[in-house]
Amino acid sequence: MQVSSLNEVKIYSLSAGRSLPEWLSDRKKRALQKKDVDLRRRIELIQDFDMPTVSTKIKVSRDGQYIMAAGTYKPRIRCYDTYQLSLKFERCLDSEVVTFDILSEDYSKIVFLQCDRYVEFHSQHGHYYRTRIPKFGRDFSYHYPSCDLYFVGASSEVYRLNLEQGRFLNSLQTDASENNVCDINPVHCLFATGAAEGKVECWDPRTRHRVGVLDCALSSVTADTEINDLPSISALKFNGALNMAVGTSTGQVLLYDLRSSNPLIVKDHQYGLPVKSIQFQDHLDLIISADSRIIKMWNRDTGKIFTSMEPEHDINDVCLYPNSGMLLTANEAPKMNIYYIPVLGPAPRWCSFLDNLTEELEENPESTVYDDYKFVTRKDLENLGLAHLIGSPMLRAYMHGFFMDIRLYHKVKMMVNPFAYEEYRKEKIRQKIEETRAQRVQLKKLPKVNKELALKLIEEEEEQQEASRKRKQKNLPNILKDDRFQVMFENPDFQVDEKSEEFRLLNPLVSKISEKRKKKLKILEQQEAQEQEEEEEPEGKPSDAESSESSDDEKGWVEEVRKQRKLLRQEEKVKRQERFKEDQQTSLKPQFFEIKAGEEFRSFKDSAKKQKLIKKTLEDRLKLEEKLGTLSVSDTTVGSKQVTFRLKKVS
């Protein structure tokens, strides 16, 4: 069992324990289970709760006793009995299941919508009847009062199949080109369809008339969202008589009150993936929405995140076990996940031992580890000299590398590097010596770039440390030790140019201070040059470093600024004279431009005329064009003027 925590909400993954490699045979798996105590102690809540390849849909019967899941390959449906904690039956189908629904309290009446337009009915004993709809279906809902099945799909029509009469009824004609999802309100039986154009149409089954349209695509676009395509409806769920949640293909969930056309709240998943499932948790007023990557639980009043889960594999469907804290998911993997969240509710009656078990589990999650196998990449195999084993039974390909026996890995590693222990011993000795050296007086090692700036920061740090000791304050962070400013002392492009005009005006006293620091830098460089493998403690400090001089007064600072300005003016004057001499020496030659073939030369007067015309008023321009004959002005019968422009061909 794996335990994770987000926002102080503990999530127990009951199916994410230690697992065995898939390539092992059944005999080897049984042998490992006998040897390994952890494998024997792992929790298998429901036996064989998986699919051969992928699980697509998962639902719980209304009595809570049966869990049904559809998967592939081959296309099949599996029913699990929670009272027996095992698989009750399995039925293979002719084609993959798009979605299914359990019409009865138990598993005795099931309807499957398949990908080849067939609708298949199953009873308790097995296959009962099969029919076909005109277009490919994507979702359906069952209207209990009239025994009607409403099918939506790649068509603007909603097909109605009455199970009492055993025939199709007149279809409902929607304005959408295609419908993706549908749902029926359990309280007043309002039927709603989600269209590919991002609209939700609501119908009254009693009168078969449309009663309202919601434009969810327009409401899902907010200032914070970035949307490239038109948001289509990918999920739809009613809650109570007035609430409805809509999920879009761009990752937004909109919560509506049926009395208003504006959403109460818009929640963005931030992944840009279609929302696949929406569930309501009434105990804590939560909405559980899921796309293929993440399951988010958030408050439907404020939109604040309650907790979230990110499984290893993509999610196809999510089902909340009624009146409990258990969550079931169908994934793009053989194993179907079971999550238990005690905050949402108690454990179901058939696994009530989880409440006692979860109290004793550790808080830190445990990751899945193959103790008997080592994962290596192709580069690791080349370093070990085992590249020739690729394709042999000694290596099992997995993702971007291979699994190999851990005993073989250790044996080959010892043969490739027999002196590994000696290197390890030398490294330990070196670490011990470094620890003893750290207790000695350390020399100031300055970086290669901006040495004077580094020395200035070191001096300021020493002053701050002394001040903080006296005032008993916390030390401020040092820029030299901060990774964000590390490049400033390594890259030569960040070297401070002290000869630039800006630096000299902003630092007028830099000449005096820089002379002191340059002397100190020379002393430090000499000490570093004399330093040998074992550093000796320097005795004393140079007199310049010990002497602390007071800063100049304001008058001296102003005089220094004036001197710097005079120097800058003189330098600028010299540069101007040099540029003037260069200009006198250079001789300008006339340049000729050639007109391309097929184009005529227009004088510069044309552009001047155009500028004058632009500045004139509309009345003056019309009079001028009337003289030239390019327009005609005539009166109409109503009394207004009519102006006709004629374009002239330019020869």
Side-chain angles (χ1 to χ4, degrees), residues 28 49 90 105 109 121 145 158 176 207 212 232 239 339 377 424 433 466 483 492 502 519 523 552 562 586 615:
K28 287 186 178 180
F49 195 67
E90 177 184 12
E105 295 286 336
K109 293 179 183 178
F121 298 88
V158 179
T207 60
S232 60
N239 181 46
Y339 296 98
T377 60
Y424 170 77
I433 293 172
E466 291 179 3
D483 296 336
E502 294 84 0
K519 290 180 181 178
I523 294 168
D552 296 336
R562 288 174 181 171
T586 56
K615 292 179 181 178

Side-chain angles (χ1 to χ4, degrees), residues 537-549:
E537 185 177 353
E539 297 179 2
K541 294 183 179 179
S543 58
D544 293 336
E546 290 177 356
S547 61
S548 60
E549 297 180 358

Side-chain angles (χ1 to χ4, degrees), residues 5-22:
S5 178
L6 182 67
N7 293 342
E8 298 181 357
V9 178
K10 286 187 179 180
I11 303 169
Y12 297 91
S13 181
L14 306 179
S15 54
R18 290 193 54 196
S19 57
L20 293 171
E22 298 176 8

Side-chain angles (χ1 to χ4, degrees), residues 46 56 90 108 139 145 158 206 232-233 263 276 311 354-355 367 369 381 455 461 487 516 555 580 584 593 599 609 647:
I46 301 175
T56 55
E90 177 184 12
S108 59
D139 196 9
V158 179
R206 298 171 296 179
S232 60
I233 308 302
K276 292 194 172 184
L354 285 176
D355 290 328
S367 58
V369 180
L381 290 175
L455 187 61
E461 185 186 6
V487 185
K516 301 175 188 175
K555 186 177 179 181
F580 182 72
Q584 285 181 342
F593 297 93
E599 294 184 2
K609 287 179 181 178
L647 299 176

Side-chain angles (χ1 to χ4, degrees), residues 365-384:
E366 298 178 2
S367 58
T368 303
V369 180
Y370 295 147
D371 291 338
D372 297 332
Y373 294 88
K374 172 71 176 176
F375 181 79
V376 290
T377 60
R378 191 179 290 270
K379 189 176 180 181
D380 296 336
L381 290 175
E382 291 175 357
N383 295 335
L384 295 173

Side-chain angles (χ1 to χ4, degrees), residues 260-499:
S260 173
S261 60
N262 296 322
L264 300 175
I265 193 168
V266 179
K267 185 68 178 177
D268 195 348
H269 272 224
Q270 304 293 338
Y271 281 110
L273 299 172
V275 178
K276 292 194 172 184
S277 174
I278 299 176
Q279 302 285 335
F280 285 89
Q281 213 281 339
D282 297 327
H283 179 61
L284 297 175
D285 291 335
L286 298 178
I287 294 179
I288 304 171
S289 56
D291 55 24
S292 59
R293 187 175 296 180
I294 191 171
I295 303 172
K296 287 191 175 184
M297 302 182 189
W298 45 281
N299 190 284
R300 62 183 178 187
D301 296 327
T302 61
K304 186 179 179 182
I305 284 290
F306 181 71
T307 187
S308 64
M309 295 174 286
E310 291 192 48
E312 296 180 5
H313 306 282
D314 290 349
I315 305 164
N316 288 328
D317 193 18
V318 177
C319 177
L320 180 65
Y321 195 91
N323 303 321
S324 72
M326 182 170 287
L327 207 66
L328 311 172
T329 63
N331 318 291
E332 287 287 326
K335 188 181 290 186
M336 292 179 285
N337 290 337
I338 304 175
Y339 296 98
Y340 176 50
I341 308 171
V343 182
L344 298 183
R349 186 174 56 182
W350 47 272
C351 57
S352 57
F353 60 89
L354 285 176
D355 290 328
N356 299 327
L357 186 63
T358 51
E359 294 177 359
E360 302 173 1
L361 289 179
E362 298 178 354
E363 295 181 358
N364 297 326
E366 298 178 2
S367 58
T368 303
V369 180
Y370 295 147
D371 291 338
D372 297 332
Y373 294 88
K374 172 71 176 176
F375 181 79
V376 290
T377 60
R378 191 179 290 270
K379 189 176 180 181
D380 296 336
L381 290 175
E382 291 175 357
N383 295 335
L384 295 173
L386 298 178
H388 62 281
L389 293 179
I390 297 175
S392 65
M394 307 297 291
L395 299 176
R396 296 283 182 174
Y398 184 76
M399 294 181 69
H400 64 285
F402 305 89
F403 273 110
M404 65 182 298
D405 196 297
I406 191 70
R407 294 169 295 178
L408 176 63
Y409 175 78
H410 287 311
K411 189 174 182 180
V412 174
K413 194 174 181 182
M414 286 298 296
M415 292 172 64
V416 171
N417 192 5
F419 302 104
Y421 177 73
E422 291 296 329
E423 294 177 0
Y424 170 77
R425 185 171 172 273
K426 288 179 182 179
E427 182 66 22
K428 280 292 182 183
I429 292 171
R430 190 187 64 78
Q431 290 178 2
K432 289 287 184 183
I433 293 172
E434 290 294 332
E435 289 176 2
T436 56
R437 283 181 178 177
Q439 299 174 1
R440 304 178 184 176
V441 177
Q442 299 290 329
L443 289 176
K444 296 174 184 176
K445 292 185 179 180
L446 299 176
K448 296 180 181 179
V449 183
N450 290 328
K451 290 185 177 181
E452 294 187 14
L453 178 61
L455 187 61
K456 178 185 175 183
L457 293 172
I458 290 171
E459 291 175 357
E460 289 178 355
E461 185 186 6
E462 291 176 355
E463 293 176 0
Q464 288 176 0
Q465 286 178 355
E466 291 179 3
S468 61
R469 286 172 188 170
K470 293 178 182 178
R471 299 177 185 177
K472 296 181 180 181
Q473 294 178 351
K474 292 183 179 179
N475 294 330
L476 296 173
N478 188 10
I479 298 177
L480 289 170
K481 298 177 182 177
D482 199 333
D483 296 336
R484 296 174 295 175
F485 305 98
Q486 191 175 1
V487 185
M488 191 170 66
F489 301 101
E490 293 177 356
N491 193 347
D493 296 337
F494 292 95
Q495 178 68 42
V496 177
D497 187 10
E498 297 181 359
K499 295 180 181 180

Side-chain angles (χ1 to χ4, degrees), residues 231-242:
S232 60
I233 308 302
S234 60
L236 187 65
K237 187 70 174 178
F238 280 106
N239 181 46
L242 298 175

